[in-house]
Amino acid sequence: MKIDINNTFKNFNTPLTAPAYPVPTYKFVNREYLNIIYRTDMEALRAAVPEPLEIKDPLVKFEVMWMPDVSGLGAYTEAGQVIPVQFNGEDGDYVHSMYVDNFPAIASGRELTAYPKKWGAPKLYIDSDTLVGTLDYGSLRVATATMGFKHFEMDKEQAKQEICRPTFMLKLATDYEGNLRLCDLVRTQITDITVKGAWSGPARLQLFEHALAPLADLPVREIVSASHILTDLTLSPATPVYNYLEQK
């Protein structure tokens, strides 16, 4: 088969004749967040966050997101941890871990951007008067988050600022001999968003030890705040802001 590079590689991914995901842009309708910010151990954070990102406070955000309507990707749920950081004086979040139940979302997130996604089984649902977020890895529970359902209305502008913080990630790729070919710190930021509703309330979070889903390596010491946010939004592309190979 003769390959027309100009046409064939518009897909950006394999399999060649049945790509794993469509070309962006990805639009999300009724994307729903459960966010719990908690205090953890500073030494544990320092072991997890790469330089030149700076940690000002020992905080982590555990998030569960239910996405019922995503253009090109379908419906899926995602959970993970992000860490508040600074880069060149700008406040943002470093994406530490993401567990997703949809392969096209995993493949596109890892290949097109730098989202650290791997397979997991997160859920977000209402149990009587409680919003519940869970994460299973294989057959084992690794996280359980609970929040009082819609106890207090949140200012929508405050919710927008929470979702639209700059996001930093590591983009890694190797050559055929296993040597690093690409090692960048990248930045992205959601700018196209509509907040449909936002609430806060009492919350709790349990993290359970697991060798391959080590969320509990950033232990919960104190719950700082919790939010439940419903949005429509569009993901923005990522741009490199720091090249580790050049610095080396």
Side-chain angles (χ1 to χ4, degrees):
M1 179 177 68
K2 183 178 179 181
I3 296 177
D4 183 342
I5 291 178
N6 291 328
N7 290 320
T8 300
F9 292 111
K10 287 180 181 178
N11 287 324
F12 302 125
N13 72 102
T14 59
L16 187 61
T17 58
Y21 52 86
V23 175
T25 302
Y26 301 130
K27 296 183 180 295
F28 296 73
V29 177
N30 291 331
R31 177 164 165 153
E32 189 172 9
Y33 292 81
L34 168 59
N35 297 323
I36 298 181
I37 296 176
Y38 69 91
R39 201 174 306 279
T40 191
D41 298 337
M42 182 62 87
E43 291 306 312
L45 283 185
R46 290 197 177 106
V49 175
E51 296 180 342
L53 297 175
E54 300 178 59
I55 306 165
K56 297 301 181 182
D57 297 300
L59 300 176
V60 182
K61 179 169 68 174
F62 175 77
E63 57 184 14
V64 184
M65 292 168 282
W66 161 233
M67 291 159 279
D69 183 343
V70 187
S71 57
L73 301 177
Y76 61 97
T77 309
E78 191 169 277
Q81 293 164 309
V82 300
I83 299 169
V85 294
Q86 276 193 347
F87 177 72
N88 287 343
E90 179 183 45
D91 291 330
D93 291 322
Y94 170 67
V95 184
H96 176 59
S97 64
M98 304 179 84
Y99 298 84
V100 187
D101 61 0
N102 172 298
F103 177 74
I106 294 174
S108 61
R110 290 172 65 107
E111 294 176 12
L112 291 179
T113 314
Y115 292 103
K117 298 186 177 186
K118 61 190 298 186
W119 189 267
K123 299 292 181 186
L124 183 63
Y125 61 94
I126 300 167
D127 181 15
S128 184
D129 57 354
T130 307
L131 183 65
V132 180
T134 62
L135 174 61
D136 294 350
Y137 190 80
S139 62
L140 298 179
R141 178 64 43 88
V142 293
T144 299
T146 56
M147 174 181 167
F149 185 68
K150 295 187 178 181
H151 276 214
F152 310 104
E153 279 207 55
M154 225 178 129
D155 180 75
K156 289 184 178 179
E157 185 59 34
Q158 179 186 347
K160 181 177 179 180
Q161 291 175 8
E162 180 176 332
I163 300 301
C164 293
R165 285 167 59 89
T167 299
F168 299 96
M169 298 166 285
L170 280 182
K171 178 73 172 180
L172 302 169
T174 60
D175 62 21
Y176 296 103
E177 295 178 346
N179 302 308
L180 272 178
R181 182 177 179 181
L182 187 68
C183 187
D184 289 337
L185 183 70
V186 303
R187 178 191 183 279
T188 186
Q189 185 172 13
I190 293 169
T191 56
D192 176 19
I193 184 172
T194 300
V195 176
K196 295 180 169 181
W199 304 268
S200 63
R204 298 292 185 271
L205 174 63
Q206 294 174 287
L207 303 178
F208 305 98
E209 299 282 353
H210 194 294
L212 300 182
L215 284 80
D217 286 3
L218 301 178
V220 179
R221 299 306 184 204
E222 178 190 8
I223 301 297
V224 175
S225 64
S227 60
H228 173 205
I229 303 173
L230 183 64
T231 68
D232 293 343
L233 60 83
T234 304
L235 283 187
S236 302
T239 57
V241 293
Y242 188 87
N243 186 319
Y244 289 93
L245 298 182
E246 285 183 1
Q247 297 302 318
K248 180 181 177 182

